[in-house]
Amino acid sequence: MRLGVLDVGSNTVHLLVVDAHPGARPLPAHSHKVQLRLAELLDAEGSISTNGIDRLIAVIKEAMLAAEDKGVEEVLPFATSAVREAANAEAVLARVAEETGVNLTVLSGEEEARLTFLAARRWYGWSAGRLLVLDIGGGSLEIAYGLDEVPDIAASLPLGAGRLTSAWLPGDPPDPGDVRALRRHVRAQIARLVGDFSRIGTPDHVVGTSKTFKQLARIAGADRSADGPYTHRKLGIRALENWVPKLAEMPVAQRAGLPGVSDGRAQQLAAGALVAEGAMDLFGVDELEICPWALREGLILRRLDHLPAS
């Protein structure tokens, strides 16, 4: 069957269309993506502005038309931290449902971590052993660890690259004092969780998902995304430590010229790099592998698990 996942995230609204059936890996068929930057469309009270809601509704309508054009039988619509944490979340969801017919499921941060972990586990299989998964989104950082398909521990922190850029790094390039303050903040937040994870044991395999990790790996020398999902892409802590100060000193336009960095993501790459460096350092990760599957694939896999075998 042809399934669609509509992901209303902090940075983008992304429709992923796949051909899938139980027991087989989902095959990507179409991708429709709009950079909405919903997390930046908040007013002083933390509510998504009227203009932001109007734009969100227009983008969702566009995505649903794309799903119809591609013959999608079922769409799984969900929203993450930008909607979850908005002061007017209920009103936003009601207007979206009324004007588009789409009932967005709002995932908790822990649910995001668990679904992303499921996707990584299926990608790497049981031979990966104890798996530690790190995911940097626009609004939050998800961390999950475990041996099975359901992680033993999963957590979410408000350390998304877009959120931190807006709140901590307004300059272009950012002020060195702001960068230093954000570094302290990020590490203090992550350090609170490290003990809970380390008590369970040392991971056998560490993976990073999300656009932030992919771009950091690319500028550190990993192969291009165009080379396909089966190319092994890794990010080492030493290479990352070399790049963090460079990224913090670069204006956005210069970052956008780096390999694999899009114009839309360049602004928040310095903040994302500080989160990646902090997480890898505090969790004692020398090197991680970039996983091509993440939250959207996790939702698809969970849905397929509940379909009857043909």
Side-chain angles (χ1 to χ4, degrees):
M1 70 183 295
R2 180 156 281 194
L3 286 172
V5 175
L6 181 62
D7 175 359
V8 177
S10 298
N11 289 315
T12 61
V13 176
H14 188 177
L15 171 72
L16 174 65
V17 176
V18 300
D19 292 318
H21 62 270
R25 64 183 177 89
L27 296 174
H30 180 68
S31 178
H32 176 88
K33 187 186 302 184
V34 176
Q35 282 217 336
L36 185 58
R37 295 191 179 277
L38 197 58
E40 298 177 11
L41 301 176
L42 302 176
D43 60 24
E45 286 73 41
S47 296
I48 298 175
S49 65
T50 300
N51 176 56
I53 300 172
D54 291 341
R55 290 171 61 186
L56 173 61
I57 288 170
V59 169
I60 289 177
K61 286 180 177 178
E62 182 183 323
M64 294 304 290
L65 282 175
E68 180 181 325
D69 289 344
K70 296 301 178 181
V72 172
E73 298 178 50
E74 180 182 354
V75 175
L76 309 174
F78 72 95
T80 56
S81 62
V83 174
R84 179 172 70 234
E85 297 171 13
N88 59 340
E90 290 187 8
V92 172
L93 295 171
R95 267 202 66 193
V96 168
E98 180 182 356
E99 298 190 32
T100 71
V102 174
N103 292 300
L104 289 172
T105 297
V106 179
L107 299 178
S108 70
E110 186 173 311
E111 286 176 311
E112 286 188 56
R114 290 179 178 275
L115 287 165
T116 302
F117 184 89
L118 171 63
R121 171 58 73 195
R122 293 280 178 92
W123 181 266
Y124 290 106
W126 301 114
S127 63
R130 292 168 294 187
L131 198 62
L132 174 64
V133 179
L134 305 173
D135 180 276
I136 303 171
S140 57
L141 163 69
E142 274 69 53
I143 309 168
Y145 172 90
L147 184 61
D148 299 317
E149 291 199 336
V150 176
D152 296 317
I153 183 171
S156 178
L157 293 171
L159 297 178
R163 177 203 297 269
L164 296 179
T165 300
S166 298
W168 293 79
L169 303 179
D172 182 21
D175 181 90
D178 292 340
V179 173
R180 185 76 178 178
L182 177 56
R183 185 179 188 275
R184 288 195 297 268
H185 171 73
V186 165
R187 286 173 176 258
Q189 292 281 312
I190 295 172
R192 295 174 184 172
L193 293 180
V194 171
D196 294 335
F197 281 78
S198 62
R199 277 192 287 270
I200 301 176
T202 303
D204 299 305
H205 197 68
V206 183
V207 303
T209 70
S210 75
K211 195 70 171 179
T212 295
F213 272 118
K214 290 176 182 177
Q215 291 184 336
L216 291 171
R218 179 73 182 100
I219 65 174
D223 291 338
R224 304 171 305 160
S225 296
D227 293 332
Y230 299 112
T231 300
H232 290 286
R233 299 174 178 87
K234 296 185 177 182
L235 175 63
I237 185 64
R238 298 293 169 256
L240 183 56
E241 288 172 342
N242 287 333
W243 270 103
V244 166
K246 296 177 186 177
L247 291 170
E249 293 170 358
M250 289 181 184
V252 171
Q254 187 177 352
R255 288 183 216 145
L258 295 172
V261 179
S262 63
D263 291 343
R265 299 272 182 168
Q267 183 178 8
Q268 62 189 41
L269 189 59
L274 285 168
V275 176
E277 180 193 35
M280 291 179 69
D281 185 19
L282 290 167
F283 278 96
V285 177
D286 292 328
E287 184 179 70
L288 57 73
E289 188 168 355
I290 306 301
C291 180
W293 280 4
L295 176 58
R296 287 182 288 272
E297 287 79 9
L299 273 164
I300 292 167
L301 292 166
R302 187 173 70 176
R303 179 68 184 95
L304 291 176
D305 287 346
H306 290 86
L307 289 177
S310 58

